[in-house]
């Protein structure tokens, strides 16, 4: 190990001594667990009880398809094809409709969405967050990406160990008091329906909020490759059928790359020169101009 | 440093072939908090991440003990909680050029190397989450690149790049040492 590496190691070990004292951890975990358990799944909404096509099968079919864009360009206002009936889940007075085929699962090995009860078409999808709906404590989140109540296009989350090349999902969230409701599905219209079905929360005011922001940052590759990257998280871009808007937004000399397992769009700069903060802001301005709802803080 | 996985503390008692949750937390809680602290860089987030992982582990504790080493399992939960998809962009990750580190000021009688490590720690805390996680797992947990890749769910090449970028930034921030 190099001297500098050793210095990093010894520094981290030394600083770990400043970690908080482990008092009452088990008791605290039990309290937090009990609080989360105070939720009830209720009711079965009207709708056909006949299951025409299991949602799980529909999802797996989509995952094997060659072109995700053609699959997910459905009219967001159309009726979800994969849901044949609805059930309503509720927590603290807020309820949403989810497909009647979905069931509740406890997911042992996922902490990305801090909830003990994940609803989904099957355990694998629910626990890998590729198709789920659930409530969690809002105080465990900083401000989420994107505006509440809107459907966002996203890649599968990083917790999935072997993401496929076409694992695009549609996600959304809502605030409800001290809770946050999150949903991810493979079908844009399904995510939209679930969000639109919510009652007991002030959705109207949430939807009037402007699209939150565009986050731009850049990284310098330490290998001498001089590859500069900038990422922009922009709701309107994520929400859009991306091709046209994104291509317009990319300045000359910039190649677009959509990395696997990421929810952002990444721009790789070919030029080897210095990449100043000013240029980052300029890029952001280009994006903002093209994506009308993409605002900077 | 974490104790060797699988070591059994004398106070641990076994329930249905596993270790009782409270006893395990009593023995391992400190190590989890140490890991969470160097990952998150602050006390509040460290406690939150560990509490979250433990609260999630609690209802399925017997299954965890029966299936695999609970130490590795819960440590992975702590790491996942820190780097979770839902949290990732909620933290504003600033470019490395925006890092601000105080000039070294050694206190009376203070070991200069201590001040050096303090500066390095401050720089480490300012790394973007992905890089800091990779650096911590590499140099604190002493994990191999392949192990880090398995824990964080990204390719090994990505891990190498994150560690490399993180170390390069730290070197740049430290200047001539």
């Amino acid at each position: 190990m190099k001297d500098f590496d050793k210095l990093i190691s010894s520094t981290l070990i030394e600083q770990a001594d400043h970690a908080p004292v482990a008092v009452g951890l088990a008791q605290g975990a039990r309290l937090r667990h009990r609080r989360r358990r105070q939720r009830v799944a209720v009711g079965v909404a009207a709708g056909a009880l006949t299951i025409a096509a299991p949602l799980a099968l529909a999802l797996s079919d989509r995952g094997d398809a060659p072109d995700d864009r053609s699959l997910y360009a459905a009219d967001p206002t159309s009726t979800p094809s994969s849901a044949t009936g609805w059930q309503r889940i509720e927590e603290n007075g807020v309820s949403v409709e989810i497909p009647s085929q979905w069931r509740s699962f406890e997911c042992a090995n996922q902490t990305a969405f801090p909830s003990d009860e994940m609803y989904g078409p099957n355990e694998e999808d629910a626990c890998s967050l590729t198709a789920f709906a659930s409530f969690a404590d809002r105080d465990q989140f900083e401000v989420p990406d994107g505006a509440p109540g809107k459907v966002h296009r996203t890649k599968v989350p990083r917790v999935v160990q072997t993401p496929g090349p076409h694992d695009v999902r549609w996600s959304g969230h809502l605030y409800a008091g001290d809770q946050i409701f999150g949903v991810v599905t493979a079908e844009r219209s399904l995510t939209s329906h679930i969000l639109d079905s919510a009652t007991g929360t002030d959705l109207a005011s949430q939807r009037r909020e402007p699209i939150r922001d565009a986050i731009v940052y850049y990284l310098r590759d330490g290998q001498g490759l001089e590859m500069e990257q900038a990422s922009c998280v922009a709701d309107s871009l994520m929400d859009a059928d991306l091709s046209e808007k994104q291509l317009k937004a990319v300045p000359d000399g910039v190649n677009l790359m959509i990395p696997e397992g990421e929810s952002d769009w990444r721009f790789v700069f070919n030029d080897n020169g210095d990449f100043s903060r000013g240029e980052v802001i300029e890029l952001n301005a280009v994006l903002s101009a093209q994506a009308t709802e993409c605002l900077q803080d | 440093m974490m104790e060797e996985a699988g070591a059994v503390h004398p106070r641990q008692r076994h329930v249905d072939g596993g270790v009782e949750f409270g006893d395990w937390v009593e023995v391992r809680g400190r190590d989890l908090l140490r890991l969470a602290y160097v990952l998150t860089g602050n006390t509040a987030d460290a406690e939150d991440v560990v509490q979250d992982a433990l609260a999630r582990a609690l209802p399925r504790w017997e299954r965890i003990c029966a299936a695999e080493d609970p130490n590795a399992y819960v440590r992975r939960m702590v790491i996942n909680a820190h780097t979770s998809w839902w949290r990732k962009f909620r933290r504003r990750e600033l470019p490395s050029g925006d890092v601000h580190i105080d000039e070294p000021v050694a206190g009376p009688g203070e070991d200069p190397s201590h001040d050096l490590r303090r500066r390095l720690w401050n720089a480490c805390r300012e790394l973007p989450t992905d890089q800091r996680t990779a650096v911590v797992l590499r140099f604190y947990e002493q994990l191999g690149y392949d192990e880090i890749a398995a824990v964080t769910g990204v390719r090994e090449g990505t891990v190498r790049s994150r560690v490399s970028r993180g170390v390069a930034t730290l070197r740049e921030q430290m200047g001539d040492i």
Side-chain angles (χ1 to χ4, degrees), chain A residues 1-2 4-5 7-26 28-30 32-33 36 106-116 123 129 132 140-145 154-161 171-173 180 182-184 212-213 215-223 229 233 260 262-264 266 277 297, chain B residues 1 20-22 25 29-30 33-34 37-38 43 45-48 50-56 58-60 63-64 73 76-78 80-81 83-98 114 116-118 120-121 124 128 130-131 135-136 138-140 142 149-155 160-162 164-165 167-168 170-172 174 177:
Chain A
M1 188 182 281
K2 298 174 186 172
F4 192 69
D5 294 351
L7 179 62
I8 296 173
S9 183
S10 64
T11 297
L12 293 172
I13 292 169
E14 179 186 274
Q15 287 300 324
D17 290 339
H18 299 292
V21 179
V23 175
L25 273 181
R30 290 190 172 95
R32 187 177 286 207
H33 170 63
R36 287 191 186 147
E106 288 188 357
C107 303
N109 189 29
Q110 79 83 16
T111 56
F113 192 88
S115 171
D116 285 335
E123 185 168 11
L129 308 188
F132 82 95
Q140 294 193 38
F141 291 88
E142 296 173 37
V143 179
D145 303 332
T154 185
K155 292 282 186 176
V156 291
R158 64 176 56 224
V159 292
V160 179
Q161 295 296 310
S171 64
H173 67 277
I180 185 170
V183 56
V184 173
R212 188 169 59 86
D213 59 9
I215 301 173
V216 175
Y217 65 96
Y218 67 93
L219 304 170
R220 181 184 294 278
D221 192 292
Q223 307 274 30
Q229 297 183 345
V233 177
E260 286 184 20
E262 300 286 352
S263 58
D264 61 317
R266 185 156 297 177
R277 179 72 175 160
D297 283 347
Chain B
M1 201 67 54
E20 200 277 329
F21 178 76
V25 171
R30 177 65 178 162
L33 283 167
R34 286 171 62 89
Y37 183 75
V38 292
T43 298
D45 283 348
E47 288 177 335
D48 183 63
V50 171
Q51 286 282 2
D52 186 64
L54 292 176
R56 198 166 309 284
L58 173 62
R60 49 193 70 91
R63 215 185 318 161
I64 290 173
Y73 193 95
R76 193 162 64 239
M77 293 178 80
V78 167
N80 283 341
T83 61
S84 83
W85 175 55
W86 285 85
R87 291 177 189 229
K88 181 179 176 190
F89 282 106
R90 283 135 221 167
R91 299 189 184 93
R92 295 307 178 86
E93 296 176 349
L94 297 175
S96 57
D98 287 355
H114 175 77
L116 186 69
R117 287 195 291 272
R118 188 167 57 195
L120 185 56
W121 167 242
C124 189
D130 287 341
Q131 289 179 31
V135 166
V136 166
R138 178 71 178 148
F139 297 111
Y140 178 77
Q142 305 287 332
V151 168
T152 55
V154 299
R155 285 188 290 265
R160 288 180 181 275
S161 175
R162 288 175 181 175
S164 175
R165 285 204 301 261
V167 171
L170 294 177
R171 278 186 183 280
E172 185 181 333
M174 296 301 290
I177 56 173

Side-chain angles (χ1 to χ4, degrees), chain B residues 15-19 21 57-68:
Chain B
V15 178
D16 295 331
V19 181
F21 178 76
L58 173 62
R60 49 193 70 91
W61 185 246
E62 286 187 13
R63 215 185 318 161
I64 290 173
C65 290
E68 60 176 300

Side-chain angles (χ1 to χ4, degrees), chain A residues 160-217:
Chain A
V160 179
Q161 295 296 310
T162 54
H166 306 296
D167 287 329
V168 174
R169 293 291 183 272
W170 299 94
S171 64
H173 67 277
L174 294 167
Y175 298 125
D178 60 356
Q179 301 290 305
I180 185 170
F181 170 76
V183 56
V184 173
T185 82
E187 193 176 358
R188 182 176 186 170
S189 55
L190 178 56
T191 296
S192 179
H193 178 99
I194 292 172
L195 291 172
D196 288 345
S197 72
T199 62
T201 181
D202 186 8
L203 297 182
S205 65
Q206 291 186 28
R207 289 192 176 120
R208 279 197 298 272
E209 291 179 8
I211 302 300
R212 188 169 59 86
D213 59 9
I215 301 173
V216 175
Y217 65 96

